[in-house]
Each structure stands twice: as C-alpha cells, then as structure tokens.
Amino acid sequence: MLAERYDELCRRLAVRLGSKEAARETLHETWLHLRSGNDPGEVQRPFGYLLRTALNVAISRERTEQRRNKRLEVVDMLELADPAPGPEREAEARRQVEFLEQVLRELTPRRRAILLASRIEGVPLRRIAEHLGLSQRFVEMELKAALEYCAQRFSKKITRRFGPRSKETSS
C-alpha cells in the first residue's frame, strides 16, 4: 500500500512537515520501520495507519534531533575557554606590575610625574606644562624619554603615532 499511494502520502506529509524532502525521508524511514518486523496485525484503515505511522516516525526523528542538538550545545559550552586568568597568568601579571613599579621608580621624579599624568590620568600635555611651569615642547620631550626608557626596560619596540621618525629608526 505504501508504494501504491506513495505520492498521496508524500503530499499529505509534506503539508504537515513543511517540506517534500522531509516527507520523502519520513516515508523511507516508515518503510524501514514496517519492514523491521513490527506486525500490526489486521489494520482496518491501511492508509490512515501508514499516515499515522509516518507522522510518529517524523515526531520521533524530530525529538531525537532536538536531543542531539541540545547535547551539542552543552558540549560546545563545556569547550569554551574560561575567560578568568589561571594561577600562572595571575602570577605573571603580578610580576609585570612589580617590574613596572620598579621601572617607574627608576625614572626621574619629573619624568615619572609627566608619564603618570599623561598616560594614567589622561591630563593634556598643555596642562601638565602649565602645572610644572615648563614649555609644552619640553614636556613632550620628557614624556618621549620616559616612554623610551620604559620600552627599553620591557624590551619592547615603541610604535610612534605621529611626528617625524628619529634618526635611529629612519632608513
């Protein structure tokens, strides 16, 4: 009966399942299910029985797919990296902070004050110059010297954002 009324079963299932492809897959699984030896005995309305069996197969497949997707979501969530730093990263960060404090202590008091005011507190160079009674150009040179010293101590290369290149870096 499934083969005889395949087109009609497929059309009805497609309406209920939302696609012809899903209907075809469901009918194929239904055929496999019926061949597996589940003898229903005498069926009074074979077409209705086939349709109900196919719908049950589709529901079962949908539930299985949902469970599989939920498991995959859980697995994906478990594989996410923990954003919190581990003990090694925390220890390294503490060492870097201690080293930075040491490097800042090595600067002259004026360079340290200019660096901290400019980079930590965000004070404009013009205001730093006014506060210290210096020219803005001198404050810029002191800030540059402080940054170069810190970069050297941290074995880092300075990335210049503006101004002409120094003689050491120009080609």
Side-chain angles (χ1 to χ4, degrees):
M1 157 112 9
L2 189 124
E4 295 167 9
R5 299 188 67 185
Y6 180 85
D7 290 336
E8 185 180 357
L9 284 166
C10 191
R11 190 174 56 256
R12 285 191 175 190
L13 281 173
V15 169
R16 292 206 177 162
L17 301 178
S19 82
K20 229 176 183 178
E21 184 62 35
R24 283 191 213 112
E25 287 179 24
T26 300
L27 284 175
H28 179 72
E29 287 181 42
T30 302
W31 182 77
L32 292 172
H33 173 73
L34 293 173
R35 290 217 33 190
S36 67
N38 297 337
D39 184 15
E42 190 173 325
V43 177
Q44 292 179 359
R45 292 185 295 204
F47 185 80
Y49 174 77
L50 284 174
L51 189 57
R52 174 60 18 213
T53 302
L55 286 172
N56 287 342
V57 166
I59 290 168
S60 176
R61 183 176 30 157
E62 179 65 25
R63 286 180 183 156
T64 301
E65 185 69 22
Q66 286 175 353
R67 282 192 301 271
R68 187 173 61 79
N69 287 342
K70 285 181 183 177
R71 276 195 302 269
L72 290 175
E73 287 174 11
V74 169
V75 167
D76 288 346
M77 288 175 63
L78 290 174
E79 290 177 355
L80 290 176
D82 184 6
E88 302 87 25
R89 285 181 52 200
E90 285 181 12
E92 178 60 26
R94 269 192 235 98
R95 281 191 295 273
Q96 286 184 353
V97 168
E98 289 170 2
F99 185 64
L100 175 61
E101 289 171 344
Q102 175 189 339
V103 170
L104 290 174
R105 283 190 301 270
E106 294 170 3
L107 292 172
T108 65
R110 181 173 51 209
R111 284 184 180 172
R112 181 173 47 252
I114 291 170
L115 177 66
L116 294 176
S118 172
R119 295 302 192 248
I120 305 298
E121 298 170 20
V123 178
L125 295 179
R126 178 184 41 76
R127 284 202 16 227
I128 297 171
E130 289 170 3
H131 178 74
L132 295 175
L134 302 169
S135 72
Q136 184 173 336
R137 177 70 182 132
F138 188 75
V139 169
E140 289 171 0
M141 290 187 316
E142 288 287 273
L143 177 60
K144 179 183 173 189
L147 289 171
E148 286 175 347
Y149 180 78
C150 290
Q152 176 198 4
R153 292 288 281 126
F154 276 94
S155 300
K156 300 285 183 181
K157 188 174 183 178
I158 291 182
T159 303
R160 295 185 51 103
R161 291 187 268 176
F162 57 88
R165 292 180 149 199
S166 66
K167 290 180 182 167
E168 300 103 36
T169 59
S170 59
S171 308

